[in-house]
Amino acid sequence: MFFRRFLSVAAALFLTLQGSFAQTISNSYLKGLELFNLGDMDRAASLFMRALSENSEDDASHYYLSQIELERGDEESSMEHLLAAAAIDSTNTQYLTELAERYYARKDFDNSLKYLVKVEEMTGQTLQSSSMRFELLRATGKFDEAMELLTKLNKVNPNPQSCFILGEWHASRYQDSLALQYYDETLQLDSDYDPAYYGKAEVCRRRNDIRGYFDNLNVFMASENIDSGVKADYLEQVVFNPNMVSSFKAQVDSLVLLVLQAHPEDTTANFMAASYFFRTDRPDYGLGVYQKNLNSFPHEERSYTQLASALYYLERWDYLIKVLGDALKEFPDSAGFTEFLAIAYWKAERRSEALETYNKLSRMLPKNSVPLLHCYAAMGDLYQDSGQTQKAFKYYDKALKINPDYVPVLNNYAYHLSLLGSSLDKALRMSEKTIVAEPENANYLDTYGWIQYLMGKNEMAKVTFKKVMVYGGQDCAVCLMHFAEVLNSLKEYDLAILYYERAMKKDPSLNLTEKINSLRNRGK
């Protein structure tokens, strides 16, 4: 809002010819003005200060000093000089207008209005002063007065911005006809004033004018002048709801494609479109957009991350491995991509490559760090999954050396010891830690109860398995089978049969039919 009045030396010299006023212009001021226009602010400031020492009523020197201090970033000193200039020449509308603007920028609306009134007392209400009064009214919450003034201004000097503001105002008051009238006036003055299309679309949506809504929104989404983030946010918040998509899928598809056409190599637009295609069960379209984005931005980590995440969700392991391999060529020191690749190999049942990648990851991570703990834990599970139990225990031990209380490793370690039937005391101690840490975790309770059973503590195991059932074990076939085994050991055959049957229903591959029949025959 601020402006600077540059007075050339030639213009200043012309003033020296104007009667007695010539006597008020000092050489210091003129030299200062010359240096000011040349951009030599430090020397100009010295000369303006000298001019003030020669003539304390030199308002122009105060004014130029205010501009210099403003450029230096000293707002307070700048205001002092500007106020001094206005005090010396209280009829100078330039000084007064700038003071009004400065106070407005400071949100000191009372002082801003005070100086605006002084300007209008001398000039009357001009377009400039009225525009400023409108801003003041709006800033102080006097919206009705502001819009009344803007309506008058717009009749005298119609422009797209004022028409649009009036359209927005009437739309906010649900005066849809007036809002549409002003939006149309906006577009008559400037057919490329894209926010007006958005305003019309929203009024049409409120009126349930679906055709009008999409017609105007199409223009808005197709504009290259509107930020892609603004479009993406609107689509996410308003358009991408299940009812809208199911009822107007073709129209919504069109909006998405228009955004892509307007911003063909824009990451935000691409991610929005891909997300939409995934949500509407068209993953191949989504993958295509992610791949296109990666082709456009091969040096951005996010390009790889988004495509890789989508491929993981779709379980496209070979494709995922290729993408992560490319990512590591671009970012060879990325621990995140290295870990992701190890997981992808594991999911693809390429265990040796998974272990090789985890080993590489372990050398990248800081010693005794949480990421290294997770790496060792994963390697332990992977070795166990590969049937290499002793190597699994080696990496479980490495993990527990970093954090002796890391319950996922404690639980897995204890459970696999129980499967071997060895070191059950050690297994029980580990398992006890897990249920102290998470007393309502059915998996951890199952491990603890099973170890109790293997150690012959059947009554205690029964108590533990009752907790397993309470905290979600009813949905776990192995938990149900384990409880049945405990009940069988306690000769509670009917209950044992019940839980065996439930386990079989959850997972027929457990093949418990013979055991169930045996218990039934025992009952006979």
Side-chain angles (χ1 to χ4, degrees):
M1 294 175 70
F2 302 136
F3 57 90
R4 181 180 289 162
R5 182 183 177 187
F6 291 98
L7 181 63
S8 70
V9 174
L13 288 174
F14 174 77
L15 292 177
T16 63
L17 305 176
Q18 308 302 307
S20 61
F21 182 70
Q23 305 306 314
T24 67
I25 300 178
S26 70
N27 286 332
S28 297
Y29 168 76
L30 290 176
K31 288 178 182 178
L33 185 60
E34 181 180 7
L35 291 170
F36 179 88
N37 284 317
L38 291 172
D40 189 344
M41 299 301 170
D42 290 339
R43 290 171 65 195
S46 296
L47 287 164
F48 287 135
M49 290 299 293
R50 184 188 298 171
L52 283 172
S53 69
E54 295 166 358
N55 177 11
S56 62
E57 296 297 301
D58 183 355
D59 59 283
S61 288
H62 273 301
Y63 176 75
Y64 282 107
L65 282 167
S66 79
Q67 302 303 303
I68 292 170
E69 294 299 340
L70 183 63
E71 191 155 302
R72 288 171 172 173
D74 190 342
E75 171 70 16
E76 293 306 316
S77 179
S78 176
M79 281 293 283
E80 287 175 9
H81 283 293
L82 186 56
L83 286 165
I88 295 167
D89 184 358
S90 59
T91 64
N92 189 312
T93 57
Q94 178 178 331
Y95 301 161
L96 300 175
T97 299
E98 189 163 337
L99 280 167
E101 290 174 342
R102 294 273 198 102
Y103 279 119
Y104 178 85
R106 290 180 165 198
K107 300 188 185 308
D108 185 345
F109 301 127
D110 289 339
N111 272 318
S112 180
L113 181 61
K114 180 180 79 173
Y115 284 102
L116 179 61
V117 168
K118 288 183 178 181
V119 171
E120 290 182 333
E121 285 173 353
M122 288 180 277
T123 65
Q125 281 197 349
T126 64
L127 182 61
Q128 182 185 9
S129 70
S130 296
S131 297
M132 191 168 186
R133 183 176 286 276
F134 163 73
E135 294 293 346
L136 277 168
L137 288 169
R138 192 162 62 164
T140 52
K142 299 174 181 178
F143 297 111
D144 289 336
E145 291 180 58
M147 293 306 152
E148 184 180 345
L149 177 59
L150 188 61
T151 302
K152 292 177 181 177
L153 286 172
N154 191 63
K155 288 178 180 177
V156 176
N157 182 40
N159 63 81
Q161 185 178 14
S162 62
C163 287
F164 177 71
I165 292 172
L166 287 166
E168 292 285 275
W169 169 249
H170 288 295
S172 71
R173 296 166 69 88
Y174 297 92
Q175 296 168 340
D176 293 345
S177 296
L178 280 172
L180 289 173
Q181 174 187 320
Y182 279 110
Y183 289 139
D184 285 335
E185 286 184 27
T186 302
L187 295 170
Q188 287 168 11
L189 293 166
D190 182 357
S191 61
D192 293 326
Y193 202 91
D194 298 313
Y197 290 107
Y198 170 83
K200 288 186 70 176
E202 283 297 282
V203 172
C204 290
R205 182 166 72 98
R206 190 158 62 205
R207 288 180 156 191
N208 205 28
D209 176 2
I210 300 303
R211 181 174 179 177
Y213 173 67
F214 283 110
D215 283 349
N216 285 286
L217 200 57
N218 282 341
V219 179
F220 181 78
M221 293 296 169
S223 171
E224 297 178 9
N225 300 319
I226 301 297
D227 181 72
S228 63
V230 171
K231 297 176 183 178
D233 287 345
Y234 179 82
L235 290 172
E236 289 286 351
Q237 294 173 23
V238 178
V239 179
F240 292 166
N241 68 72
N243 291 334
M244 180 76 84
V245 172
S246 62
S247 300
F248 308 104
K249 189 174 181 181
Q251 291 93 329
V252 176
D253 283 358
S254 178
L255 293 175
V256 172
L257 293 174
L258 286 169
V259 175
L260 285 176
Q261 290 168 12
H263 312 279
E265 294 189 352
D266 182 272
T267 301
T268 300
N270 286 328
F271 290 162
M272 172 277 297
S275 173
Y276 168 70
F277 288 129
F278 275 103
R279 275 183 276 180
T280 51
D281 298 320
R282 290 172 287 178
D284 287 330
Y285 283 97
L287 286 177
V289 175
Y290 279 141
Q291 184 65 64
K292 174 175 170 283
N293 187 72
L294 176 56
N295 295 340
S296 298
F297 303 99
H299 307 302
E300 290 188 9
E301 287 191 43
R302 190 181 177 200
S303 300
Y304 293 96
T305 301
Q306 291 289 347
L307 177 56
S309 299
L311 290 168
Y312 183 88
Y313 171 76
L314 295 170
E315 300 183 2
R316 307 272 183 95
W317 308 126
D318 290 339
Y319 191 176
L320 174 59
I321 288 167
K322 179 187 179 303
V323 169
L324 290 170
D326 291 341
L328 284 167
K329 289 176 186 175
E330 190 70 32
F331 306 101
D333 299 323
S334 171
F337 285 137
T338 304
E339 182 178 19
F340 206 166
L341 180 59
I343 294 169
Y345 279 132
W346 192 352
K347 292 289 186 179
E349 298 187 1
R350 294 163 63 172
R351 293 183 180 85
S352 61
E353 290 160 295
L355 283 166
E356 181 183 342
T357 307
Y358 270 122
N359 268 306
K360 178 182 176 182
L361 176 65
S362 69
R363 294 190 294 272
M364 298 169 68
L365 298 173
K367 290 183 178 180
N368 299 321
S369 64
V370 171
L372 184 60
L373 164 66
H374 294 159
C375 178
Y376 286 151
M379 292 179 74
D381 291 342
L382 184 52
Y383 274 119
Q384 190 64 56
D385 192 37
S386 304
Q388 302 178 65
T389 301
Q390 293 309 311
K391 284 190 175 180
F393 290 167
K394 172 185 173 182
Y395 280 94
Y396 287 154
D397 285 330
K398 284 188 173 187
L400 292 175
K401 188 174 180 181
I402 296 173
N403 182 359
D405 299 317
Y406 188 56
V407 291
V409 167
L410 288 169
N411 179 69
N412 289 354
Y413 203 162
Y415 185 68
H416 288 298
L417 283 173
S418 75
L419 293 180
L420 292 175
S422 63
S423 303
L424 291 179
D425 287 336
K426 178 181 179 180
L428 188 67
R429 289 194 299 274
M430 288 180 176
S431 189
E432 281 175 346
K433 283 188 174 183
T434 70
I435 64 168
V436 169
E438 298 186 28
E440 297 179 7
N441 187 310
N443 288 328
Y444 296 169
L445 287 165
D446 172 70
T447 299
Y448 187 60
W450 188 242
I451 295 170
Q452 288 176 318
Y453 163 73
L454 293 174
M455 296 178 74
K457 302 176 180 181
N458 297 337
E459 290 290 349
M460 296 172 68
K462 179 182 175 181
V463 172
T464 301
F465 273 103
K466 284 183 176 180
K467 293 179 182 178
V468 173
M469 296 301 110
V470 169
Y471 296 124
Q474 297 277 2
D475 296 322
C476 171
V478 172
C479 294
L480 292 165
M481 183 182 70
H482 284 170
F483 192 20
E485 290 287 324
V486 171
L487 293 167
N488 188 12
S489 71
L490 294 170
K491 300 182 180 181
E492 297 183 33
Y493 302 126
D494 289 341
L495 274 176
I497 290 170
L498 175 66
Y499 281 97
Y500 278 133
E501 288 176 337
R502 289 181 179 177
M504 277 280 287
K505 188 175 181 180
K506 290 284 181 186
D507 184 0
S509 69
L510 291 174
N511 197 18
L512 300 170
T513 304
E514 186 177 339
K515 184 167 285 193
I516 292 169
N517 289 337
S518 174
L519 285 177
R520 282 186 178 136
N521 291 332
R522 181 190 293 269
K524 293 177 182 178

